[in-house]
Amino acid sequence: MTTTHASPAPAVGAEDLSVWPASAAEPRPGELSVGAVALSAVAERFGTPVYVLDEGEVRRRCRSYRALFPEAEIHYAAKAFLCRAIARWMDEEGLGLDVCSAGELELAVAAGFPAHRIVLHGNAKTPHDLHEALRYGVGRIVIDSPSEIARLAAAVGPQGRQRVMVRVVPGISAGGHDKIRTGTEDQKFGLSVSDGYAQHAIARILDQPQLELTGLHCHLGSQITDVKPFLSAVRRMVGLMARLHEQHGLLLPELDLGGGHGVAYRPGEPALDLHRLARRVRAELSEACAAAGLPVPRLIIEPGRAIAGPSGVALYRVVSVKRTGGRTFVAVDGGMSDNPRPALYGVRYAPRLVGRAGSAARTPMTVVGRHCEAGDVVAADAPLPDDLRAGDLLAVPVAGAYHLSMASDYNMVGRPPVAAVRDGRARLLVRRESLEDLRGRDVGL
Ligand code: LLP
């Protein structure tokens, strides 16, 4: 077994909370609390839709990464979800940060995150991205294309020095969906080993006195639930490190294996076993390095989803229930503008009724959003109580990653707020986008 299931099947009649934050509890029948705050109270106070982030769960996940990989640097992938509070939590928990734009960088630094613990990624870093990265003094910049080398060296200037890594395509196929597989040659990220682009880029970097190559980077893809692709990546990356040592006498002190650690979105789905990952990667790395006669590099990993995803809950209000064509459509007050993932990747979620105890009988229902597309589905075939009605609250677990960071202004409904819960208290982190916000950008007539 290379994967674990989120938890054993629940007792008949009990709600399966395996994909919910560890703090999730049922203080009374039908009510659900997270961080000791009733979700219905959060909806009441902040309105719906609203995203709830369990601060304790975020911190617990950071700590568990640090405990499992004590020798490694853990960089949180900000693209999963970033706001000032989460940047602060990452700093307090001793993690680094992976950013991929001047925007993410600026927000993190403005929140007080130390720039030297930030890594800049991106397949198309603009001159502005690079300029800001140098101005703030980020720890490392990950080179993703040959043209970036000269541009970056010129921007650093003759007196400067910038630490860089090279993003290598290891030729490994892994990930939960075609659109999020990045380890093979048929996609836009990285420099390939098999056609020699990676080796060529490395030789050019070594020629630039302004650039200091600290190591290799690879990111196989996202939502990977099997340990094996990571082990193959270790072998291939160490193989390349050995060749670089032979050719250039180079001993690279760092190896970044990217993120991609898969989580369960519904009870019973597989998730990446992080204990096993830590144990096997450590063993593979020391064996491969011993065989190649190389010192073991410092490991870096970049989880995003596995930290933020299961820590977040989306809360929606049911607007209408419609029975048609043999199906029950439950329409809620959010949808693809706050969560495009079902439309993009066909992901399935497990919403549940909160705030009141519904009837025991469950029927598969299609939870849809309020947007003007038939593909605006929040959760397909979700078993929900027969007596579900307008005004009810639905909570969707595992909503903390790649929802709001990918949210749009489609249909001008405005993006939802984010509230943090912890120890019985809720506080607003990001306010709701108002019509005024939307109107304010429209400056022509
Ligand atoms: N490092 C790099 C260089 C990345 O590109 C990514 C994600 C990560 C780390 C973090 O991966 P994670 O641990 O979160 O899987 N929108 C998609 C996911 C796109 C992932 C993009 N890169 C989704 O909703 O599933």
Side-chain angles (χ1 to χ4, degrees):
M1 274 288 286
T2 49
T3 56
T4 48
H5 287 271
S7 81
V12 178
E15 286 285 353
D16 185 338
L17 295 177
S18 60
V19 299
W20 288 81
S23 70
E26 291 175 300
R28 59 180 173 82
E31 187 53 273
L32 192 68
S33 65
V34 173
V37 181
L39 291 178
S40 57
V42 177
E44 205 52 54
R45 178 164 158 206
F46 300 105
T48 54
V50 56
Y51 276 71
V52 185
L53 207 50
D54 181 345
E55 179 180 344
E57 183 72 19
V58 173
R59 290 184 185 273
R60 194 175 70 81
R61 287 174 176 269
C62 293
R63 284 172 201 171
S64 116
Y65 266 109
R66 292 204 60 196
L68 287 170
F69 296 88
E71 75 286 23
E73 270 181 42
I74 319 290
H75 294 175
Y76 170 66
K79 66 208 85 188
F81 175 67
L82 184 65
C83 64
R84 293 189 306 159
I86 216 169
R88 171 78 51 85
W89 303 343
M90 293 304 142
D91 184 18
E92 288 170 358
E93 295 302 330
L95 272 66
L97 210 60
D98 144 8
V99 303
C100 62
S101 70
E104 290 180 353
L105 173 61
E106 208 268 336
L107 190 125
V109 174
F113 200 92
H116 70 271
R117 282 179 20 225
I118 299 182
V119 176
L120 176 70
H121 282 282
N123 71 301
K125 299 177 197 77
T126 64
H128 180 62
D129 292 333
L130 290 179
H131 180 266
E132 293 300 278
L134 296 177
R135 187 165 74 84
Y136 285 120
V138 299
R140 304 172 194 83
I141 296 178
V142 181
I143 305 275
D144 198 297
S145 72
S147 64
E148 223 178 298
I149 301 166
R151 276 172 58 210
L152 181 59
V156 170
Q159 311 308 333
R161 195 154 164 83
Q162 174 63 49
R163 290 193 292 162
V164 298
M165 304 188 87
V166 168
R167 178 158 178 174
V168 171
V169 180
I172 295 165
S173 178
H177 189 278
D178 273 351
K179 289 176 187 161
I180 53 174
R181 291 192 187 120
T182 51
T184 50
E185 261 93 37
D186 53 356
Q187 51 78 47
K188 67 178 183 170
F189 293 100
L191 294 151
S192 161
V193 184
S194 63
D195 63 14
Y197 262 83
Q199 295 89 321
H200 185 65
I202 289 164
R204 283 182 56 200
I205 292 170
L206 296 177
D207 279 344
Q208 303 281 351
Q210 298 93 330
L211 305 182
E212 177 189 343
L213 182 65
T214 66
L216 305 180
H217 170 278
C218 70
H219 171 72
L220 303 179
S222 205
Q223 188 59 0
I224 302 168
T225 53
D226 189 347
V227 169
K228 280 196 205 109
F230 293 100
L231 305 180
S232 308
V234 168
R235 285 193 295 275
R236 299 219 179 154
M237 301 293 273
V238 173
L240 177 58
M241 286 166 61
R243 270 172 279 150
L244 294 171
H245 183 231
E246 272 165 37
Q247 283 164 17
H248 306 282
L250 195 61
L251 285 177
L252 292 171
E254 297 176 339
L255 174 62
D256 189 333
L257 286 183
H261 308 165
V263 303
Y265 280 89
R266 295 183 301 164
E269 283 180 359
L272 186 67
D273 181 341
L274 295 179
H275 289 81
R276 190 177 160 84
L277 180 77
R279 194 163 28 86
R280 298 289 307 274
V281 161
R282 189 172 300 121
E284 196 75 38
L285 187 58
S286 50
E287 272 167 38
C289 287
L294 295 174
V296 175
R298 183 169 172 79
L299 188 67
I300 302 173
I301 51 170
E302 304 170 334
R305 185 193 317 267
I307 290 176
S311 308
V313 175
L315 275 176
Y316 301 103
R317 187 77 66 184
V318 174
V319 178
S320 75
V321 178
K322 195 191 280 182
R323 292 186 174 79
T324 180
R327 287 164 79 181
T328 303
F329 289 95
V330 177
V332 297
D333 54 1
M336 67 193 299
S337 66
D338 65 84
N339 179 13
R341 302 191 69 255
L344 278 173
Y345 320 115
V347 179
R348 306 268 305 272
Y349 286 84
R352 60 164 277 176
L353 172 66
V354 295
R356 73 171 178 90
S359 78
R362 305 285 162 106
T363 310
M365 300 185 190
T366 310
V367 181
V368 295
R370 59 175 293 184
H371 297 281
C372 301
E373 281 194 36
D376 174 25
V377 172
V378 172
D381 294 326
L384 287 165
D386 274 348
D387 63 348
L388 198 71
R389 54 187 183 243
D392 277 340
L393 272 180
L394 286 185
V396 178
V398 203
Y402 304 113
H403 284 214
L404 290 186
S405 63
M406 294 171 67
S408 73
D409 280 326
Y410 190 33
N411 298 150
M412 288 201 171
V413 301
R415 285 169 284 186
V418 182
V421 291
R422 181 187 176 172
D423 301 332
R425 280 206 293 274
R427 67 188 173 109
L428 191 63
L429 298 185
V430 182
R431 69 163 169 78
R432 185 181 304 285
E433 190 173 33
S434 66
L435 291 182
E436 221 161 64
D437 291 329
L438 296 171
R439 244 190 340 258
R441 294 181 58 232
D442 184 338
V443 295
L445 195 64

Coordinates of all heavy atoms in Angstrom, one line a residue, residues 77 79 98 121 167 180 217 219 222-223 258-261 302-305 341 345 402 406, ligand 1:
A77 N 3.4 26.5 -0.3 CA 3.2 27.0 -1.7 C 2.0 28.0 -1.6 O 0.8 27.6 -1.5 CB 2.9 25.8 -2.7
K79 N 0.4 29.7 -3.6 CA -0.6 29.7 -4.7 C -1.9 28.9 -4.2 O -3.0 29.1 -4.7 CB -0.1 29.1 -6.0 CG 0.3 27.6 -5.9 CD 1.3 27.3 -6.9 CE 2.7 27.6 -6.3 NZ 3.8 27.5 -7.2
D98 N 6.8 29.6 -0.9 CA 7.0 29.5 -2.4 C 6.0 30.5 -3.0 O 4.8 30.4 -2.7 CB 6.8 28.1 -2.8 CG 6.1 27.9 -4.1 OD1 5.9 28.8 -4.9 OD2 5.8 26.7 -4.4
H121 N 9.1 31.3 -8.0 CA 8.9 30.3 -9.1 C 8.2 31.0 -10.2 O 7.7 32.2 -10.1 CB 8.0 29.2 -8.6 CG 8.6 28.2 -7.8 ND1 9.4 27.2 -8.3 CD2 8.6 27.9 -6.5 CE1 9.8 26.4 -7.3 NE2 9.4 26.9 -6.2
R167 N 14.8 24.5 -12.4 CA 13.6 23.5 -12.4 C 13.8 22.5 -13.5 O 13.9 22.9 -14.7 CB 12.3 24.3 -12.6 CG 11.2 23.3 -12.7 CD 9.9 24.0 -12.3 NE 8.8 23.1 -12.5 CZ 7.5 23.3 -12.1 NH1 7.2 24.5 -11.6 NH2 6.6 22.4 -12.3
I180 N -2.8 19.2 -14.1 CA -1.9 19.5 -13.0 C -0.7 18.5 -12.9 O -0.2 18.2 -11.8 CB -2.7 19.6 -11.6 CG1 -3.5 18.3 -11.4 CG2 -3.5 20.8 -11.6 CD1 -4.2 18.3 -10.0
H217 N 15.6 21.7 -8.7 CA 14.2 21.7 -8.3 C 13.4 20.8 -9.2 O 13.7 20.8 -10.4 CB 13.7 23.1 -8.2 CG 12.2 23.2 -8.0 ND1 11.3 23.0 -9.0 CD2 11.4 23.4 -6.9 CE1 10.0 23.1 -8.6 NE2 10.1 23.3 -7.3
H219 N 9.0 19.6 -9.7 CA 7.7 19.6 -9.1 C 6.9 18.6 -10.1 O 6.7 19.0 -11.2 CB 7.0 20.9 -9.0 CG 5.6 20.9 -8.6 ND1 5.1 20.6 -7.4 CD2 4.5 21.2 -9.4 CE1 3.8 20.6 -7.4 NE2 3.4 21.0 -8.6
S222 N 0.4 17.8 -9.0 CA -0.4 18.1 -7.8 C -1.4 17.0 -7.6 O -1.8 16.3 -8.5 CB -1.1 19.4 -8.0 OG -1.4 20.0 -6.8
Q223 N -1.8 16.8 -6.3 CA -2.7 15.8 -5.9 C -2.2 14.4 -6.2 O -2.9 13.6 -6.8 CB -4.1 16.1 -6.5 CG -5.3 15.3 -6.1 CD -5.6 15.3 -4.6 OE1 -4.9 16.0 -3.8 NE2 -6.6 14.6 -4.1
G258 N 9.7 19.9 -4.7 CA 8.4 20.5 -5.0 C 7.3 20.0 -4.0 O 7.6 19.5 -2.9
G259 N 6.0 20.2 -4.5 CA 4.9 19.8 -3.6 C 4.1 18.7 -4.3 O 4.7 17.8 -4.9
G260 N 2.8 18.8 -4.2 CA 2.0 17.8 -4.9 C 1.3 16.8 -4.0 O 0.8 15.8 -4.5
H261 N 1.5 16.9 -2.7 CA 1.0 15.9 -1.7 C -0.5 15.9 -1.7 O -1.2 16.8 -1.3 CB 1.6 16.2 -0.3 CG 3.1 16.4 -0.4 ND1 3.8 16.9 0.7 CD2 4.0 16.1 -1.3 CE1 5.1 16.9 0.4 NE2 5.2 16.5 -0.9
E302 N 7.6 21.6 -0.9 CA 6.8 22.8 -1.1 C 5.3 22.4 -1.1 O 4.6 22.5 -2.1 CB 7.1 23.4 -2.4 CG 8.5 23.8 -2.7 CD 8.8 24.2 -4.1 OE1 8.1 23.8 -5.0 OE2 9.7 25.0 -4.3
P303 N 4.8 21.9 0.0 CA 3.4 21.5 0.0 C 2.5 22.7 0.1 O 2.8 23.7 0.8 CB 3.2 20.7 1.3 CG 4.3 21.2 2.2 CD 5.4 21.6 1.3
G304 N 1.4 22.7 -0.6 CA 0.4 23.8 -0.6 C -0.9 23.3 -0.1 O -1.4 23.5 1.0
R305 N -1.5 22.4 -1.0 CA -2.8 21.8 -0.7 C -2.9 21.1 0.6 O -3.8 21.2 1.4 CB -3.1 20.8 -1.8 CG -4.5 20.2 -1.8 CD -4.7 19.0 -2.7 NE -4.1 19.3 -4.0 CZ -4.7 19.8 -5.1 NH1 -6.0 20.0 -5.0 NH2 -4.1 19.9 -6.2
R341 N -12.9 24.4 -9.3 CA -12.2 23.1 -9.4 C -13.1 21.9 -10.0 O -12.6 21.2 -10.8 CB -11.6 22.6 -8.0 CG -10.6 23.6 -7.5 CD -9.8 23.1 -6.3 NE -8.9 22.1 -6.7 CZ -9.1 20.8 -6.4 NH1 -10.2 20.4 -5.8 NH2 -8.2 19.9 -6.9
Y345 N -11.4 20.3 -13.1 CA -10.8 19.0 -13.0 C -11.8 17.9 -12.7 O -11.4 16.8 -12.4 CB -9.8 19.0 -11.8 CG -8.9 20.3 -11.7 CD1 -9.0 21.1 -10.7 CD2 -8.0 20.6 -12.7 CE1 -8.2 22.3 -10.6 CE2 -7.2 21.8 -12.7 CZ -7.4 22.6 -11.6 OH -6.6 23.7 -11.5
Y402 N -6.7 26.3 -3.4 CA -7.1 26.5 -4.8 C -8.6 26.7 -5.0 O -9.2 26.4 -6.0 CB -6.7 25.2 -5.6 CG -5.2 25.0 -5.5 CD1 -4.7 23.8 -4.9 CD2 -4.3 25.9 -6.0 CE1 -3.3 23.6 -4.7 CE2 -2.9 25.7 -5.9 CZ -2.4 24.5 -5.2 OH -1.1 24.3 -5.1
M406 N -8.1 30.8 -6.8 CA -8.5 30.8 -8.2 C -9.8 31.4 -8.4 O -10.4 31.2 -9.5 CB -8.5 29.3 -8.6 CG -7.1 28.6 -8.6 SD -7.1 26.9 -8.8 CE -7.7 26.8 -10.5
Ligands
LLP1 N1 5.6 23.9 -6.0 C1 5.3 24.3 -7.3 C2 6.5 24.7 -8.1 C3 4.0 24.3 -7.7 O1 3.8 24.6 -9.0 C4 3.0 23.8 -6.9 C5 1.6 23.8 -7.4 C6 3.3 23.5 -5.6 C7 4.6 23.5 -5.2 C8 2.2 23.1 -4.6 O2 1.5 21.9 -5.0 P1 0.5 21.3 -4.0 O3 1.3 20.8 -2.8 O4 -0.5 22.3 -3.6 O5 -0.2 20.2 -4.8 N2 -5.1 24.4 -9.2 C9 -4.8 23.0 -9.0 C10 -3.5 22.8 -8.4 C11 -2.4 23.5 -9.2 C12 -1.0 23.3 -8.5 C13 0.0 24.3 -9.1 N3 1.3 24.2 -8.6 C14 -5.9 22.4 -8.2 O6 -6.9 23.0 -7.8 O7 -5.9 21.2 -8.0

